[in-house]
Amino acid sequence: MALYSEKVMDHFLNPRNLGVIEDADAVGEAGNAKCGDIMKMYLKIENGIIVDVKFETFGCASAIASSSMATELIKGKPVEEAEKLTNKAVAEALDGLPEYKMHCSVLAQEAIEEALKNYNNKENNNE
Ligand code: FES
């Protein structure tokens, strides 16, 4: 049996939304102290909708595939919906990750959570 699903391989080899948004409305970063991998998410938000999202991941194949899939899952979605994104949903959308690679999908969830937290803080300060 192959270690990684075809979807994981596809998103690893052809990551979607890879890069930086220079004028992002929110940026979030997450890291895993054990493996040293780091993920950064950039969000562009208009009227409560995530109109654009890009990521940079310095990490393993699963982390890159997870970030790529996570960006696809939240692009065009309302902020409230993106806040509910779980690492399980990311892994499921990839047709699964090996059990010991599940923590890689957690990075994607945490980076998005962090970006949205920063966004909400900024919004509250502007009121
Ligand atoms: Fe660290 Fe995958 S091994 S994120």
Side-chain angles (χ1 to χ4, degrees), residues 4-92:
Y4 292 115
S5 73
E6 266 173 44
K7 272 200 188 151
V8 173
M9 288 310 293
D10 178 33
H11 278 261
F12 167 55
L13 295 172
N14 311 292
R16 326 293 200 266
N17 306 308
L18 180 66
V20 177
I21 299 177
E22 294 292 349
D23 59 343
D25 295 302
V27 180
E29 191 177 311
N32 183 300
K34 267 200 192 145
C35 62
D37 292 349
I38 297 173
M39 192 182 295
K40 223 166 161 179
M41 286 278 173
Y42 301 83
L43 304 179
K44 194 85 197 137
I45 300 171
E46 274 167 30
N47 301 322
I49 306 282
I50 299 172
V51 291
D52 200 12
V53 45
K54 291 214 183 304
F55 79 91
E56 286 180 308
T57 292
F58 305 95
C60 70
S62 304
I64 291 167
S66 295
S67 359
S68 168
M69 181 53 89
T71 59
E72 292 238 292
L73 291 174
I74 64 166
K75 199 168 179 175
K77 299 276 165 61
V79 167
E80 299 83 56
E81 215 172 296
E83 279 169 346
K84 292 192 207 118
L85 182 76
T86 62
N87 76 297
K88 250 188 101 201
V90 174
E92 268 165 25

